[in-house]
Amino acid sequence: MGKVLVAYASKHHSTAEIAEAIAAELRIQGLDADCTDVSADTVTGYDAVILGSAVYAGRWLKDAHRFLKHHRDDLVRIPFWIFSSGPVGENVEEDLAENSNWLEPHKVLDLAESIGLRGHTVFAGRMPTDPHGFIEKSMVKRTPEELRDARDWDAIRRWADDVAAALAASSGTTAAPSQH
């Protein structure tokens, strides 16, 4: 397998950190992975793409949705996956398991599936460390500090390992054994 692009849209850098962890894990698995903000706006030269976005009010960030729409003709020819990040707080696991508001937004998922999406997932997120405006500041203030970062780094690495294994299987190579 050649190069993998991990592209993301992130408002407060939490999704960027998830994307960076995915790219790092792909590299451990022996893949050549680049990680960049969707503003780089290219898939040229990549053999696979992972696209992620933060979710706010049940929606992907506009730049991520725009990237998906803009590159649909390229993505239909290569393997690609999507991920979302968002939920935090006391009941994050239940929210992920039961609350469809945290699933990839239906418009995004429908578009991605029409292009040939290989898989998708939702990761827990992190409260902004630099909240702006009344709503963000209020959310952070009302959330206990120990619940402000719900990201599960092991789950993120396992998902990246699954992607690496799928890419290895499709190219007829073997992924490196997991380090976890």
Side-chain angles (χ1 to χ4, degrees):
M1 173 53 55
K3 290 186 71 124
V4 180
L5 172 65
V6 181
Y8 62 86
S10 188
K11 187 173 177 182
H12 292 285
H13 203 65
S14 175
T15 305
E17 290 171 346
I18 291 170
E20 290 162 1
I22 290 169
E25 187 64 23
L26 294 175
R27 289 183 206 109
I28 288 170
Q29 297 300 324
L31 296 168
D32 184 3
D34 292 336
C35 184
T36 185
D37 185 280
V38 293
S39 64
D41 200 32
T42 186
V43 297
T44 303
Y46 292 98
D47 302 301
V49 172
I50 298 170
L51 175 61
S53 178
V55 175
Y56 288 90
R59 292 191 170 99
W60 259 25
L61 296 176
K62 287 180 185 177
D63 289 344
H65 195 197
R66 189 175 306 121
F67 183 95
L68 182 61
K69 288 192 312 190
H70 179 77
H71 294 292
R72 68 185 306 157
D73 292 340
D74 296 315
L75 294 172
V76 76
R77 293 188 279 276
I78 59 175
F80 81 100
W81 288 258
I82 61 174
F83 72 91
S84 298
S85 70
V88 295
E90 193 168 3
N91 299 314
V92 70
E93 293 304 319
E94 291 99 18
D95 283 347
L96 284 171
E98 299 171 8
N99 189 344
S100 65
N101 290 334
W102 289 114
L103 299 176
E104 277 83 5
H106 295 290
K107 286 183 181 180
V108 169
L109 198 51
D110 290 346
L111 174 59
E113 287 175 343
S114 76
I115 299 169
L117 177 68
R118 297 281 183 101
H120 62 95
T121 193
V122 179
F123 297 117
R126 180 193 75 203
M127 286 282 186
T129 56
D130 59 341
H132 300 288
F134 174 77
I135 293 173
E136 282 185 6
K137 288 177 182 178
S138 177
M139 286 173 47
V140 170
K141 185 177 180 178
R142 288 183 290 130
T143 303
E145 191 168 336
E146 66 275 9
L147 299 176
R148 291 180 186 169
D149 189 345
R151 293 172 296 178
D152 182 339
W153 298 107
D154 290 334
I156 292 164
R157 286 189 290 272
R158 281 191 305 273
W159 188 77
D161 289 343
D162 290 345
V163 170
L167 288 169
S170 69
S171 69
T173 61
T174 305
S178 179
Q179 305 285 322
H180 314 289

